[in-house]
């Protein structure tokens, strides 16, 4: 709720059981009880804000040494999620809650913490050379209109198996 209000001030927040279910599973990921998690939800159901923005902010708030890669279907979408993440960690309430999580550098696609952790935003097919991560989030790897394209799906599958999994 706090992240939602920070990103979309004045927009009514409608709590629902699915958000609590997402949070429950993300806590299980953080604790190591789950190593792979797939969340399928309809558009506009807060999946990206919950996972790619709020969860990463929470995770780095608790452990600013963590390295996270967030992958999306386009550089523009990846950059927008990164901008929203930055709005959250720059909020006074976040800084008060997590004083040890301090940005050292932000390029617009990568934020590095003073503790050596990071959040790196990229797109499917984007550069990952020399990068590793403790957690990789793949958020909407295909645009909705590409989902029925065999060629588009194959491109994502090949990139995932050939590049992303080795990170």
């Amino acid at each position: 709720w706090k992240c939602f209000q920070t990103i979309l001030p004045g927009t009514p927040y409608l709590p629902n059981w699915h958000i609590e279910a997402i949070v429950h599973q993300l806590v299980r990921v953080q604790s190591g009880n789950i190593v792979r998690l797939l969340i399928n939800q309809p558009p506009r159901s807060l999946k990206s804000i919950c996972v790619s923005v709020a969860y990463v902010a929470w995770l780095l708030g608790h452990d600013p040494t963590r390295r996270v890669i967030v992958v999306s279907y386009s550089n523009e979408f990846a950059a927008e999620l990164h901008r929203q993440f930055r709005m959250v960690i720059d909020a006074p309430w976040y800084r008060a809650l997590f004083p040890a999580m301090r940005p050292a550098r932000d390029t617009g696609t990568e934020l590095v913490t003073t503790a050596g952790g990071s959040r790196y935003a990229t797109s499917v097919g984007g550069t990952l050379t020399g990068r590793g991560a403790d957690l990789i989030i793949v958020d909407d790897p295909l645009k909705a209109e590409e989902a029925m394209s065999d060629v588009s799906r194959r491109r994502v599958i090949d990139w995932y198996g050939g590049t992303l999994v080795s990170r």
Side-chain angles (χ1 to χ4, degrees):
W1 171 83
K2 199 71 164 162
C3 292
F4 180 85
Q5 290 301 312
T6 300
I7 296 165
L8 300 165
T11 303
Y13 174 77
L14 303 173
N16 197 359
W17 67 268
H18 78 279
I19 296 169
E20 295 300 322
I22 291 171
V23 169
H24 174 75
Q25 295 303 331
L26 292 174
V27 169
R28 293 183 68 214
V29 169
Q30 190 272 341
S31 69
N33 291 325
I34 296 177
V35 294
R36 290 188 183 199
L37 175 64
L38 176 65
I39 300 172
N40 285 317
Q41 288 183 269
R44 313 297 301 164
S45 57
L46 300 182
K47 175 183 51 66
S48 293
I49 289 176
C50 288
V51 180
S52 297
V53 178
Y55 179 62
V56 177
W58 179 83
L59 191 66
L60 287 173
H62 284 279
D63 183 358
T65 66
R66 298 289 298 262
R67 295 172 307 144
V68 181
I69 294 173
V70 180
V71 180
S72 302
Y73 64 83
S74 72
N75 285 325
E76 293 78 19
F77 185 54
E80 174 58 20
L81 292 174
H82 189 78
R83 184 188 70 79
Q84 292 174 3
F85 164 78
R86 188 64 200 236
M87 289 174 72
V88 169
I89 67 164
D90 286 343
W93 64 265
Y94 181 90
R95 289 194 312 266
L97 197 57
F98 300 113
M101 207 309 259
R102 295 185 313 274
R105 175 174 49 95
D106 187 1
T107 65
T109 56
E110 181 179 34
L111 180 133
V112 178
T113 71
T114 56
S118 62
R119 181 196 189 277
Y120 180 67
T122 191
S123 62
V124 170
T127 304
L128 287 174
T129 304
R131 297 198 179 271
D134 303 308
L135 175 69
I136 299 172
I137 297 170
V138 180
D139 187 337
D140 291 333
L142 289 168
K143 289 185 194 179
E145 58 267 18
E146 293 178 339
M148 298 309 290
S149 164
D150 289 338
V151 172
S152 294
R153 286 195 316 272
R154 175 53 47 202
R155 178 180 56 86
V156 171
I157 291 166
D158 290 347
W159 182 78
Y160 178 85
T163 301
L164 192 64
V165 170
S166 66
R167 303 296 146 188

